Amino acid sequence: MNKEIINCYGCNALVENIEGQPHKYIGAIQGCWNLYGEVLAKEYGEYEYLEHIHRLTVDTYAIQHPGQPSRQSIQSVNIHLISLYAIFIKKLNGKEATKMIGEILKKEHNFEWLEPPVPNGEITVTDVLKATNKEEHEKAVKEWAENVFDCWYSKYKQIIENYAEILIN
């Protein structure tokens, strides 16, 4: 039996059409969400939990799948964008970015909905899954994260910088 392949409405990757509700506010279809789970399994298992890479994976998937405007999705996109800003612009490592996110989430913020850029990255979770070893995986995740962050940053540079500078300092 042939499996139906469709585009994920979050990242536009071609993935298997599988029934299911993958996440409460992440905007992905089940087939894409399952692939993300495979990436996470590799990071936790085969690749001995690469914290700096795992932070990029989580942030990138979240902003590439922003979902629909709701308090949770708005906060998610903003927080993950700020994390990538901290890593790529402020040169924080994954552990520092994770700690920073925790501190930010302790406070109340009025984030705004950011309409996803089009395209929302040219690299997707499917490209990361092509990696055959730890080094290829690290390289693929970094390229994916940079690509997706660049799309958002070029569209929302001032907003991201304003939030980040207030929240990081």
Side-chain angles (χ1 to χ4, degrees):
M1 179 179 204
N2 289 340
K3 297 177 181 178
E4 181 185 12
I5 304 297
I6 60 173
N7 290 91
C8 174
Y9 55 83
C11 66
N12 205 37
L14 289 171
V15 297
E16 191 176 342
N17 187 16
I18 302 170
E19 279 196 42
Q21 179 83 26
H23 191 276
K24 187 175 178 179
Y25 57 86
I26 296 284
I29 62 172
Q30 190 66 51
C32 189
W33 183 254
N34 289 2
L35 297 178
Y36 175 59
E38 289 180 36
V39 169
L40 295 180
K42 283 186 175 192
E43 289 180 358
Y44 283 115
E46 290 177 53
Y47 301 143
E48 302 163 357
Y49 188 69
L50 307 165
E51 184 171 1
H52 63 289
I53 294 300
H54 181 70
R55 176 80 265 152
L56 293 176
T57 299
V58 171
D59 291 334
T60 304
Y61 194 84
I63 67 171
Q64 198 170 39
H65 298 84
Q68 298 299 314
S70 72
R71 186 194 64 75
Q72 290 171 312
S73 62
I74 291 167
Q75 177 176 291
S76 174
V77 169
N78 279 273
I79 289 295
H80 291 293
L81 280 170
I82 290 167
S83 177
L84 290 180
Y85 174 85
I87 292 167
F88 291 131
I89 308 299
K90 293 297 200 175
K91 306 300 183 198
L92 269 61
N93 63 37
K95 189 174 193 170
E96 293 166 331
T98 299
K99 183 178 179 194
M100 178 203 66
I101 287 172
E103 293 300 317
I104 291 170
L105 291 174
K106 288 179 185 175
K107 303 170 188 160
E108 186 68 30
H109 300 286
N110 292 317
F111 294 117
E112 62 184 80
W113 173 253
L114 303 175
E115 195 64 36
V118 178
N120 189 357
E122 301 291 333
I123 301 172
T124 70
V125 69
T126 60
D127 297 301
V128 174
L129 281 169
K130 294 175 186 172
T132 60
N133 59 47
K134 182 178 178 178
E135 292 74 27
E136 286 179 13
H137 180 82
E138 286 187 60
K139 183 176 186 283
V141 169
K142 286 178 185 174
E143 289 173 355
W144 177 38
E146 288 171 356
N147 176 257
V148 174
F149 178 69
D150 285 347
C151 291
W152 285 82
Y153 192 59
S154 64
K155 184 171 181 177
Y156 293 112
K157 182 178 183 195
Q158 195 62 49
I159 293 170
I160 295 167
E161 287 176 355
N162 287 344
Y163 280 154
E165 291 303 320
I166 292 166
L167 299 173
I168 291 173
N169 295 323

